[in-house]
Amino acid sequence: MPNTPDDDKRIDAIRFLSVDAVQKANSGHPGMPLGAAAAAYALWTRHLRFDPSDPQWFDRDRFVLSAGHASMLLYSLLYLNGYDLSLDDLRAFRSFGSKTPGHPESHLTPGVDATTGPLGQGISNAVGMAIAEAHLGATYNRARTIVDHRTWVMASDGDLMEGVSSETASLAGHLGLGKLIVLYDDNKVTLSAGTEATFTEDVLARYEAYGWHTQRVAAGNDVDAIDAALTGAANETHRPSLVVVRSHIGFGSPVQDTFKAHGEPLGAEGVARTKTALGWPLEPTFYVPDDVLAWWRENGRRGTALRAQWQTTYNGWSSDEPELAAQLERARAAKLPERIDWPHFDAENGNLATRDAGAAAINAVAQSLPELFGGSADLDPSTKTNLKGDGDFQPGTYAGRNVHFGVREHAMGAIANGIAYHGGLLPFTATFLQFLDYMKPAVRLAALSELRVIFIYTHDSIFLGEDGPTHQPIEHIAQLRATPNVAVIRPADALETVAAWQCAIASPSQPVALILTRQKVPFLGAREADVARGAYVVFGDESEPEVILIATGSEVSLAIDAAKLLEARGTKTRVVSMPCWEYFAAQDRTYRDRILPPHVGTRVSIEAAATFGWERWIGERGIALGIDRFGASAPAAALADYFGFTPAHVAEVAAGLLARA
C-alpha cells in the first residue's frame, strides 16, 4: 500500500530540515537523510519508545545512528519530536559551540544515545547496549519488570564493511541478543563509488551465518513494508535482527543514486530542484507546516504516558525490592558504596606481579560493586580479570558478570563503550597492552564521550620476555597519554595497584587505563601510595636532592636500587613514583614543585617504553631512559641488561648527568 499524503509530508519534513541545514552550513551529508527518512519515520513513529521530556529515561529504547555522517537525520527527528533542540540549533549545524555538531555527540546533544561517526563503532556500541539491557533485566526484574527495552540501529554500507562490526555481529549472534535490531540503509553507494566496486557479498547470508534473523525490504520509501519488517524483527526474541532496506541515496535530488549525494551540499539549484520534485515549498528554509509539526510533537508526547506507566511499575518494584532499588540507583548515579574491603598487601604477601595484585583488587571491587561487569579478549588466565563466583554472561545466564569477548579486541572496546552509554553498569575490558592497537578507536571515543570505562592492559613492557617484539609494547603508553581525557595509571607494586583501582572506580567521566605487569615486582614498603595525585616521593631526601629519578611501574624498584648506589657514593637522590601523568598535571603548582623542585634540573626518567613526552617532566637538562626501538625475544634479565635497565647503568647515567650539570 502506498504511503498516505500525510505520511509523505511528515517524511519530507525530515528530509528538508536536513537538506536546508546542510546547505546553510555548506557542509555535511544530505544523501542519507533524503534516502532513509521513510525508514526513520517508520521506526520513530511506530516502534521507538522514548520521551523527549526525559531523554535519560532509563527504560527507553536506545537509538544509535551508526552512520553518524547523516547526523542531520537525527537532529531533524529530535527537533520534530520536541527534544531540547530548536530551529536555531538546526540553523547552527556544524558551527562552533552548537548542539548540532557534524557527527552526533552523546554528552552534548539531548536525545543522542551514542557518539558516532567512525563507521562500525555505533553498531558495535549498540551490541554493548543490548548486552547491558539483558544483564540488567536478568539482575533486577522480579515480580515486576523494570528493564525491558530494545536497541535500534540505523547503519550504512560503511558500517557493515568495517571489521569491528563483523566482530560484534558474531558475538551478538552467539549471545542471542533478541532485542537488538539493525536497519541497514542499503543504498548501494559509498563516498567515492557504487558498492559494486568493493562490496558485493550477500550481506543477509553473512548475518544469517552469524546467527541473526534477517529480512529484506525492497522499497525504501514504503512505510508499511518497513513497519511490517520492524514488527517481525521485534517479534524475534532469541536472535538479533537485521532489516535490509533498499533505499536511494539523495532521493529526489539531481544526484540521486550517485556518490555525489554523500558528502557535499546539493547547492542552491540542487536544493530547489529537489524541493520541486517532491512538492515542497522553496521558501522559507527550515519550513515545517504547522499541522505537520503539531503531529510530530504529539508523536513525541506519546512517550510521556509510556514513561509514567513505567514509573508506576518502578515505584512498586522499589517498594517490593528496596535493597535492589538502592543498589540500582547508586549504580546509575555512579556513586560508590560506603565500604569496600580492599586487599591488604605487605612485605609478606606483596611481592607479586601487578596483574596478580589487580586480580585481588578487581574481585574486592566486584563484591561491593555489583555493577562491575566485563571481561577479556580470551585472556582471563593471563590478565587475571575473572570475577570469581559471578558466573558467565551467556545465553540463558544473562545474570553472569563475566563477558567472554573472544579474540575480538576491536569489538570488546566498542561494546564496553556501549555498556557505559546504556548506564547502570561499570564496564571493564582486559587484554595485553600490545593489543591496544586493536582498541584505540574505541578508547578514543570513550575519552571524547566522557565515558566511565576501565581498560585493563597487562604484559606492559619488554619484560614479558621471550614472546618477543610482536608482543612487547613500546609506543603504546605514549599513545594512551597523548589521548585527551584518559587517565593512564601504571602502578609500581601491589600497594599502588590497589590505589589505582580506587582511582579507577571513582572516575566519573574519564576512562581509566590500568597498565599492569606480567612479571613479579617487589613490594616497595608500607606507605601512602598517593596514586590519586599522580606522583609522590617514594625514596630519598625530601628537601635538597641533587638528582631526581622519576619512574613508573616495574621500573620504580629499579630506580630505588639505582638511588641506593648513588647514595652510597654520597649523591643525595630522590625517587619519584609517577604512576599517572594526568593526575599529577592536574595538581596545583605548589604540590608539583614540592615533588619535582624546579631548581633540581638533574633528572632521569626510567620507563621501559618510548621516551616520547618525558621531556615535560625531566626538563631540558634531563635524560629519558627508555626504549625507542622494538624489543627482542629473550629472557627478561637478558633484555634488561641489553637495554640498560639495571641499577648500575641507571646510576651511571645519573652520575654522568650530574657531572655535566
Side-chain angles (χ1 to χ4, degrees):
M1 180 182 297
N3 299 342
T4 68
D6 285 340
D7 284 335
D8 283 336
K9 284 175 63 178
R10 297 160 190 161
I11 294 166
D12 285 344
I14 302 170
R15 287 176 170 139
F16 290 112
L17 284 174
S18 302
V19 165
D20 284 343
V22 171
Q23 186 62 30
K24 184 176 185 301
N26 196 30
S27 175
H29 300 72
M32 187 173 170
L34 282 167
Y41 173 78
L43 172 58
W44 279 69
T45 64
R46 304 188 185 184
H47 294 274
L48 196 69
R49 298 168 66 250
F50 62 96
D51 180 9
S53 69
D54 186 1
Q56 297 302 312
W57 170 30
F58 191 62
D59 202 40
R60 72 189 185 281
D61 285 355
R62 272 45 170 192
F63 174 75
V64 178
L65 181 65
S66 192
H69 56 271
S71 56
M72 266 313 307
L73 174 67
L74 177 53
Y75 299 148
S76 297
L77 288 162
L78 295 176
Y79 165 72
L80 289 167
N81 281 288
Y83 282 85
D84 183 18
L85 208 64
S86 67
L87 268 184
D88 285 340
D89 290 320
L90 301 193
R91 293 187 181 101
F93 178 54
R94 290 190 165 217
S95 64
F96 183 79
S98 77
K99 292 160 65 175
T100 49
H103 293 81
E105 298 181 35
S106 62
H107 61 295
L108 185 65
T109 309
V112 173
D113 284 330
T115 300
T116 58
L119 294 174
Q121 290 289 322
I123 189 174
S124 302
N125 296 156
V127 174
M129 294 176 182
I131 286 173
E133 192 277 343
H135 176 70
L136 289 165
T139 302
Y140 290 107
N141 292 340
R142 295 291 189 267
R144 303 174 199 256
T145 297
I146 61 156
V147 181
D148 183 12
H149 52 266
R150 295 186 175 89
T151 302
W152 305 84
V153 184
M154 291 195 75
S156 65
D157 298 299
D159 286 298
L160 271 60
M161 287 189 218
E162 288 286 0
V164 63
S165 66
S166 297
E167 289 187 13
T168 52
S170 173
L171 184 59
H174 163 73
L175 292 172
L177 299 175
K179 294 181 182 177
L180 172 64
I181 302 171
V182 176
L183 286 82
Y184 164 32
D185 180 49
D186 181 20
N187 60 37
K188 305 297 183 187
V189 175
T190 62
L191 184 147
S192 64
T195 53
E196 72 277 0
T198 58
F199 194 51
T200 55
E201 68 194 44
D202 186 336
V203 172
L204 270 74
R206 174 158 66 96
Y207 273 73
E208 287 166 4
Y210 288 146
W212 286 54
H213 169 241
T214 64
Q215 300 172 86
R216 185 185 297 278
V217 178
N221 286 316
D222 187 335
V223 172
D224 286 343
I226 297 167
D227 173 39
L230 296 180
T231 299
N235 289 335
E236 171 55 63
T237 58
H238 298 292
R239 292 180 292 171
S241 292
L242 178 73
V243 178
V244 179
V245 180
R246 175 67 175 101
S247 66
H248 295 274
I249 192 170
F251 177 75
S253 75
V255 290
Q256 176 178 317
D257 294 328
T258 73
F259 68 85
K260 290 184 178 180
H262 177 84
E264 58 188 60
L266 297 177
E269 180 182 350
V271 170
R273 290 175 61 184
T274 307
K275 288 182 176 180
T276 299
L278 296 181
W280 199 255
L282 299 184
E283 296 292 341
T285 58
F286 296 92
Y287 170 68
V288 180
D290 291 343
D291 61 324
V292 171
L293 183 59
W295 185 92
W296 271 111
R297 293 294 165 86
E298 185 60 32
N299 182 70
R301 284 189 287 271
R302 288 185 306 110
T304 303
L306 292 173
R307 180 173 57 85
Q309 293 170 10
W310 175 83
Q311 190 65 53
T312 298
T313 301
Y314 184 85
N315 292 343
W317 173 84
S318 297
S319 296
D320 296 342
E321 307 286 347
E323 292 184 4
L324 278 180
Q327 174 181 300
L328 178 58
E329 290 300 322
R330 182 190 54 72
R332 288 182 60 194
K335 293 182 178 178
L336 299 180
E338 292 182 2
R339 176 184 173 85
I340 297 176
D341 292 323
W342 294 100
H344 174 75
F345 293 107
D346 55 30
E348 296 296 321
N349 69 348
N351 297 301
L352 70 169
T354 54
R355 66 169 175 170
D356 290 313
I362 194 173
N363 277 281
V365 171
Q367 294 303 307
S368 299
L369 268 69
E371 64 266 31
L372 188 69
F373 178 81
S376 76
D378 195 47
L379 288 170
D380 283 353
S382 294
T383 59
K384 310 289 187 180
T385 47
N386 183 65
L387 304 183
K388 298 174 182 177
D390 286 307
D392 294 335
F393 181 86
Q394 289 287 318
T397 58
Y398 286 153
R401 296 165 65 186
N402 291 290
V403 181
H404 293 275
F405 290 103
V407 188
R408 300 185 182 99
E409 283 90 354
H410 296 85
M412 179 172 67
I415 288 171
N417 288 353
I419 294 168
Y421 282 129
H422 183 280
L425 295 171
L426 173 54
F428 70 90
T429 68
T431 187
F432 297 167
L433 180 55
Q434 172 64 32
F435 301 122
L436 166 67
D437 289 338
Y438 291 168
M439 293 179 65
K440 180 56 170 61
V443 173
R444 183 178 189 274
L445 284 170
L448 191 156
S449 303
E450 302 176 357
L451 296 181
R452 191 169 176 242
V453 183
I454 300 172
F455 298 110
I456 302 167
Y457 296 105
T458 66
H459 297 58
D460 69 340
S461 73
I462 62 165
F463 298 128
L464 66 93
E466 292 87 345
D467 278 345
T470 63
H471 280 55
Q472 293 169 356
I474 299 296
E475 74 279 17
H476 300 76
I477 297 175
Q479 182 181 169
L480 279 169
R481 288 174 178 153
T483 305
N485 197 41
V486 178
V488 185
I489 309 178
R490 188 173 184 237
D493 69 350
L495 201 61
E496 282 195 10
T497 303
V498 170
W501 263 101
Q502 291 169 345
C503 293
I505 64 173
S507 181
S509 58
Q510 180 183 47
V512 174
L514 300 179
I515 314 298
L516 307 177
T517 69
R518 185 183 80 164
Q519 77 276 17
K520 288 185 177 180
V521 293
F523 183 72
L524 300 180
R527 66 202 187 280
E528 182 183 356
D530 206 351
V531 171
R533 302 191 78 170
Y536 66 99
V537 177
V538 71
F539 174 90
D541 189 277
E542 290 254 2
S543 55
E544 290 296 329
E546 298 171 83
V547 174
I548 301 176
L549 306 180
I550 314 169
T552 76
S554 55
E555 289 77 76
V556 175
S557 63
L558 166 62
I560 292 173
D561 289 343
K564 291 176 180 177
L565 294 178
L566 290 166
E567 290 276 350
R569 301 177 185 180
T571 302
K572 293 181 178 180
T573 307
R574 171 182 293 185
V575 176
V576 171
S577 176
M578 188 179 282
C580 184
W581 287 16
E582 295 76 24
Y583 292 165
F584 186 61
Q587 303 307 306
D588 59 51
R589 179 170 294 278
T590 299
Y591 181 79
R592 295 199 309 269
D593 288 351
R594 179 157 62 85
I595 302 302
L596 298 177
H599 65 277
V600 183
T602 306
R603 303 178 185 179
V604 179
S605 66
I606 309 158
E607 187 171 62
T611 60
F612 183 83
W614 270 108
E615 62 275 5
R616 178 179 187 182
W617 307 116
I618 61 175
E620 295 180 357
R621 290 166 46 199
I623 291 178
L625 181 60
I627 302 176
D628 290 315
R629 51 152 285 183
F630 295 114
S633 180
L639 294 172
D641 185 65
Y642 179 80
F643 286 106
F645 285 90
T646 63
H649 182 256
V650 172
E652 287 302 318
V653 169
L657 181 62
L658 183 62
R660 295 194 299 272

